Structure formats: C-alpha cells, structure tokens
Amino acid sequence: DAKTTQPTSMDCAEGRAANLPCNHSTISGNEYVYWYRQIHSQGPQYIIHGLKNNETNEMASLIITEDRKSSTLILPHATLRDTAVYYCIVRVTEYGNKLVFGAGTILRVKS
Amino acid sequence: NAGVTQTPKFQVLKTGQSMTLQCAQDMNHEYMSWYRQDPGMGLRLIHYSVGAGITDQGEVPNGYNVSRSTTEDFPLRLLSAAPSQTSVYFCASSIGFSGGTIYFGEGSWLTVV
C-alpha cells in the first residue's frame, strides 16, 4: 500500500543541487509528506516535512505542488556525505498516524 | 540529550526463544512506535503507543508484544522467535501524532537461527 513513487536511483555531482522527485497522487488533505534519509542501515534521519506550503530548513527545501500530488526534495549543495537512500513518506491517518515508507531513492553524490 | 536509545544493538536468537528489545526516549514524547526493516525494503509498523498505558497494533503485529508503563520506555517483546523475524528493528518517537518531527533510534539487528 505504498503511497509514494520515487526513482530507484539518481546521481548528482558534488557541489551541485540534488533534486529528488516523489509522486503521492493518493495523498489525503490532512496527510503530511516527510523526507528521511538512511545511510548504511543506520536509523532514518529526519530531513524535512510539509503539508501544503513549501518548506526550507538548514538541510533542504521541500517543494509541494499545488494539487499536492507530488513533491521535490532539494539538497542545495550536495556533498559526498549526502550519499544515502532517501525516503519520501506520507504520514497517514491510520494506525495512529503511521509513516508509510516506499522503496526510496539511492542518491549517489560523485566528485 | 540522548534522543531515542535502543538496546541491544545486535542479538542472535535461536528459534523459539523469547527476548525484549528496549527503547527509551528522553524528550517527553507521547507517541512511540516500533518498525521493522527487511533487506531492501522500507520500514513497516509493528506496534505503536499514543501515551503511557495505551498501545495498539500496527500493520505487522503478529509475534510481538508491547507495553507502555512510562512515557519514556516502550519495550518490544518477541514471544517465540522465528527466522521470519530476522530483521532490523527501529524505535521511533514524536511529541504528537500529527505533523511533528519523528525521531528514530539507531536500530537493533536481530538474527533468528
């Protein structure tokens, strides 16, 4: 019952912006979009989340389309340490507002 | 501020044995949950709790028990370990269950032989 679709993998040059797309066409109006990343099966690391508006923090920016059916995570200046699996996640209202993980995107940052 | 702490980090069990994975958070979060991650897959919810004394099943609860006697602790019990429970287990917590940040522990690697 994955609610998100992401590319399997992407490459990005070090120092350039990494733009990771995500489709979530069945998202409901009160369900948030979260982005996490995971490095070598460590605990998922929080990046950013949003509901309707675009969001920015010290790590990344999140751009959500007006119809909320897709979003893009932007890492403005990718470094080698940003190489990881990036998960676009919808927090659904079932099961106490659980996180629904998809398969994620493997981002490889190359020098 | 330790965040979410899980113990043990690694464990090997024999089929049929029982054990408890510990999870503690020091952020006074009401919402806590347990996920499992199988190779190459995303995380799946096992059990969750919205506060002390309140627990409920997630999407893959069979073979697991939880309790929440305090706000800080949320242990996960494997009743009779099976090879299908070989996985990495993550505990998570958040201050609420709507739009807040969810913090994960570093994981507990469990192998059942």
Side-chain angles (χ1 to χ4, degrees), chain A residues 4-7 20-24 33 35 69-72 88-89:
Chain A
T4 62
T5 305
Q6 300 176 251
L20 289 84
C22 179
N23 287 321
H24 33 77
V33 176
W35 282 84
K69 292 185 177 182
S70 65
S71 61
T72 301
C88 171
I89 301 157

Side-chain angles (χ1 to χ4, degrees), chain B residues 61-106:
Chain B
N62 291 340
Y64 307 95
N65 250 351
V66 292
S67 60
R68 185 93 181 271
S69 56
T70 66
T71 299
E72 294 77 19
D73 300 300
F74 190 44
L76 177 72
R77 297 184 191 85
L78 280 72
L79 307 173
S80 178
S84 61
Q85 293 179 303
T86 294
S87 191
V88 184
Y89 291 84
F90 291 101
C91 180
S93 76
S94 65
I95 195 164
F97 49 91
S98 182
T101 301
I102 301 168
Y103 298 88
F104 283 85
E106 287 302 308

